[in-house]
Amino acid sequence: MEQVNGDTLAAARKVIAVHINYPSRAAQRGRTPEQPSYFLKPSSSLSLSGGTVERPAGCELLGYEGEIALVIGKAARRVSIENAWNHVAAITASNDLGVYDLRWADKGSNLRSKGGDGFTPVGPALIPADAVDPSQLRIRTWHNGELVQDDTTEDLLFPFARLVADLSQLLTLEEGDMILTGTPAGASVAVPGDVLEVEVSTANGGLTTGRLVTTVEEGTTAFADFGARPKVDDLQREEAYGSRAAAGLAAVGPALSPELKAKLESVATATLSSQLRKRGLNNVSIDGLQATRPDRKVVGLARTLRYVPNREDLFKTHGGGFNAQKKAIDSVNDGEILVMEARGEKGTGTVGDILALRAQVRGAAAIITDGGVRDFTAVANLEMPTYFANPHPAVLGRRHIPWDTDITIACGGATVQPGDIIVADSDGILVIPPAIAEELVDDCIRQEKEETFIFEMVKQGNSVDGLYPMNTEWQARYQEWEAGNHHD
């Protein structure tokens, strides 16, 4: 098999890269483009396997992205999708390296952040394009020997032939040009001393590029004052690493302390509802659902997932691969509650046994959906409670497209925002704004103490007149009772 060499690099007059193309990456980024978008990398950024790449002095975030590179074999101008693959000579592995520290200066063009010398290693071998099915390729990346990216081209947002045809509408793709076709989920950050490896192969493993190896080293020459200098913030760290957790950043949103959680668990849902109503919050119950574990009471922070009505063309772009449903399930954290908006649609399942089990394994406190549940017996046998409208055997795609996550949604007639506190038991499901939770639950505890006193007084034969609710006389007697009980 032909190897990538200096002549290969010299022949590449243009290096074109695609922003987002894998559904898993789109889900991770939280956006799915309707059309492909591109940026140029200088041909001087190309390098061979076995080389080094410099993390520029003063930079923190050298990102790596394993990708499949197409090598153009003959000029393409205004070619059709059907004919486009005939203009590709070979494929190889590539690593779309870049420093997030410089994105602020030219975000969009990516010239500073992704155009540095050695920032596009390719190789080591070329696989002939006519020997592969472009929809049956596998891309893998290793970071210090650990497999961190592993995906296939089966469900790309924009198949390779479409990229070639699309680009050829406006510019001539010349022999030797390279197209970097996007990276799957799992891209992250490397530091000096790290070794990065990327391999492209046929899905059955019959043909392979071999591993493209790049070692990261520390730059020693500082940026001059007359140009853009490196700077980073937590948003860039989150994007570089793929998530706040991976970047070592604290979660966004209010925390549910163990003390607050214990208080909420100690009071009745009816009491919470009463105190919410006193504050003018009358539309904070998720209604019409049943529970797989009515014996359980759960308290947790809401994570949200929204389904939209199925539309076949959109399901093709949003329904497969690492879609929003799988993203939500696979990112729910310990003690959180995944709340799904299914528009009260009962004609299909919105979660089944495998994804419910995955949520349980990740530590989810519960799943709440105002749609159906598939594999009901298996879901009901899980320790984690699921609140649902009804069992239904049909798959998601019959009525729904998983659309987006961690946004404001509607479920069972209530509005739910990420970070809202959910309290659910056999009496119902309440949505509590986190800003009032401490004050609310303290008032609930006081209310339940009063109701314990009232219950005892009624048990002793007292009339409820003036006692429930308590008038001034009974309030005074209650204060004495409470002081005595507190003293005990």
Side-chain angles (χ1 to χ4, degrees):
M1 193 176 295
E2 185 179 349
Q3 299 293 298
V4 175
N5 55 34
D7 291 340
T8 312
L9 305 190
R13 298 178 64 181
K14 294 187 289 297
V15 180
I16 303 168
V18 178
H19 280 109
I20 293 178
N21 198 13
Y22 286 79
S24 61
R25 180 70 162 179
Q28 193 177 46
R29 283 287 193 244
R31 59 184 185 273
T32 300
E34 294 183 5
Q35 297 291 339
S37 62
Y38 312 96
F39 60 94
L40 285 167
K41 300 192 75 171
S43 57
S44 55
S45 71
L46 292 167
S47 62
L48 298 172
S49 181
T52 60
V53 65
E54 180 182 288
R55 186 182 73 176
C59 289
E60 172 189 334
L61 303 174
L62 176 67
Y64 60 83
E65 300 176 3
E67 306 204 11
I68 298 172
L70 312 182
V71 181
I72 298 299
K74 60 180 179 179
R77 179 72 165 113
R78 295 196 177 100
V79 300
S80 66
I81 292 177
E82 293 74 20
N83 189 43
W85 192 246
N86 295 325
H87 292 260
V88 179
I91 62 169
T92 192
S94 63
N95 197 338
D96 182 15
L97 296 162
V99 280
Y100 283 73
D101 312 60
L102 296 174
R103 289 178 87 201
W104 67 271
D106 60 358
K107 189 173 182 180
S109 77
N110 291 330
L111 181 61
R112 288 182 179 90
S113 58
K114 286 180 174 277
D117 288 354
F119 275 24
T120 317
V122 291
L126 296 165
I127 300 176
D130 59 9
V132 303
D133 177 346
S135 69
Q136 297 296 314
L137 298 173
R138 185 183 188 188
I139 174 77
R140 288 180 290 176
T141 304
W142 292 264
H143 185 179
N144 292 331
E146 178 185 355
L147 182 65
V148 292
Q149 291 185 288
D150 189 355
D151 211 333
T152 73
T153 57
E154 186 174 7
D155 58 354
L156 291 177
L157 300 177
F158 312 111
F160 294 160
R162 178 174 170 183
L163 298 177
V164 174
D166 184 36
L167 287 165
S168 78
Q169 293 185 91
L170 286 170
L171 54 92
T172 300
L173 295 171
E174 300 164 299
E175 182 179 354
D177 286 352
M178 294 188 185
I179 303 172
L180 276 54
T181 56
T183 194
S188 189
V189 172
V191 299
D194 286 355
V195 177
L196 303 169
E197 300 171 276
V198 183
E199 181 181 9
V200 175
S201 62
T202 50
N204 61 12
L207 296 173
T208 176
T209 61
R211 293 197 187 187
L212 168 67
V213 182
T214 307
T215 302
V216 180
E217 59 182 23
E218 182 70 271
T220 57
T221 303
F223 284 92
D225 291 339
F226 53 75
R229 298 173 67 87
K231 64 179 182 180
V232 296
D233 55 25
D234 284 351
L235 175 60
Q236 294 304 317
R237 292 185 178 97
E238 179 181 353
E239 293 208 348
Y241 282 93
S243 70
R244 293 186 65 84
L249 302 172
V252 175
L256 180 60
S257 69
E259 295 76 18
L260 176 56
K261 184 171 183 287
K263 285 182 179 181
L264 289 166
E265 289 171 338
S266 73
V267 297
T269 307
T271 310
L272 288 165
S273 179
S274 173
Q275 287 293 334
L276 286 163
R277 184 171 173 80
K278 285 182 179 180
R279 289 162 172 78
L281 294 167
N282 296 308
N283 299 292
V284 288
S285 64
I286 297 176
D287 297 333
L289 307 186
Q290 50 188 311
T292 59
R293 301 299 302 266
D295 55 316
R296 297 290 183 85
K297 181 168 188 172
V298 295
V299 177
L301 294 180
R303 297 286 300 278
T304 61
L305 167 65
R306 180 168 70 109
Y307 297 112
V308 297
N310 187 28
R311 204 179 91 185
E312 289 75 7
D313 61 321
L314 295 177
F315 192 88
K316 289 179 181 178
T317 58
H318 289 74
F322 193 60
N323 59 30
Q325 179 200 43
K326 293 176 183 175
K327 175 189 175 186
I329 293 288
D330 217 46
S331 65
V332 67
N333 296 312
D334 188 49
E336 293 178 336
I337 296 174
L338 179 57
V339 186
M340 300 179 177
E341 175 185 334
R343 311 177 311 284
E345 169 55 60
K346 299 180 180 181
T348 189
T350 55
V351 68
D353 57 345
I354 292 175
L355 293 184
L357 175 61
R358 176 61 176 158
Q360 176 176 286
V361 168
R362 287 194 56 84
I367 290 175
I368 299 172
T369 174
D370 60 357
V373 166
R374 293 184 72 221
D375 313 307
F376 174 72
T377 301
V379 173
N381 284 332
L382 295 176
E383 285 295 311
M384 178 194 70
T386 295
Y387 298 81
F388 62 101
N390 60 283
H392 200 283
V395 296
L396 181 72
R398 181 169 184 253
R399 299 283 174 83
H400 301 294
I401 307 172
W403 198 254
D404 43 16
T405 61
D406 291 325
I407 59 165
T408 301
I409 64 166
C411 181
T415 297
V416 182
Q417 294 192 300
D420 281 344
I421 297 172
I422 305 294
V423 178
D425 62 12
S426 57
D427 278 347
I429 307 168
L430 292 175
V431 182
I432 299 174
I436 67 169
E438 286 280 3
E439 171 197 312
L440 180 81
V441 75
D442 287 343
D443 285 351
C444 287
I445 291 170
R446 281 192 289 272
Q447 178 182 327
E448 291 195 347
K449 284 182 181 177
E450 291 178 358
E451 289 175 351
T452 299
F453 168 75
I454 294 169
F455 185 84
E456 288 190 13
M457 295 303 102
V458 171
K459 189 175 180 181
Q460 292 174 16
N462 291 285
S463 170
V464 295
D465 184 25
L467 173 61
Y468 186 53
M470 290 186 288
N471 58 21
T472 304
E473 180 184 345
W474 277 113
Q475 283 282 358
R477 292 181 63 177
Y478 166 70
Q479 296 297 335
E480 294 176 6
W481 174 87
E482 184 186 28
N485 282 347
H486 182 74
H487 177 74
D488 292 344

